[in-house]
Every structure is written in structure tokens, then in C-alpha cells.
Amino acid sequence: MPRKRPNPAPGKDWVVHPVTTPSTISRHGHTVTMANAIVQCSVDTAPNFTPPR
């Protein structure tokens, strides 16, 4: 029978407990950035709302 591993971060499961870290959306010129505690995504709104290179 496999041994049970301890939970490395008890009480931090985002599926079970609500997330309290705020998300942000910001605009700098033609770039819009959406971010949270895990991931950040930026897109360029000109000329055709394309991802930055």
C-alpha cells in the first residue's frame, strides 16, 4: 500500500477555498495586460488585437 504524502500547503486549495488574491487588468499604450497570482497575459490592441512578439 502506498504511503500518503502530507499536503504541502494545507488550506491553500483553490478548488475548495475561495481565492483572495486580486486579479488586475491594465493598459499601457496599445498593450493590455491581464494578471493574477499565477499567470500574466499581454496583448497588443493595434492594429488588429494581436499577441505581442
Side-chain angles (χ1 to χ4, degrees), residues 18-31:
V19 177
T20 58
T21 306
S23 297
T24 61
I25 298 175
S26 60
R27 182 176 63 131
H28 300 284
H30 292 289
T31 303

Side-chain angles (χ1 to χ4, degrees), residues 2 6 8 12 18-19 21-24 27 31 34-35 37-41 45-47 50-53:
K12 300 294 183 182
V19 177
T21 306
S23 297
T24 61
R27 182 176 63 131
T31 303
M34 299 169 283
I38 299 171
V39 67
Q40 175 177 319
C41 177
T45 59
T50 57
R53 296 179 189 214

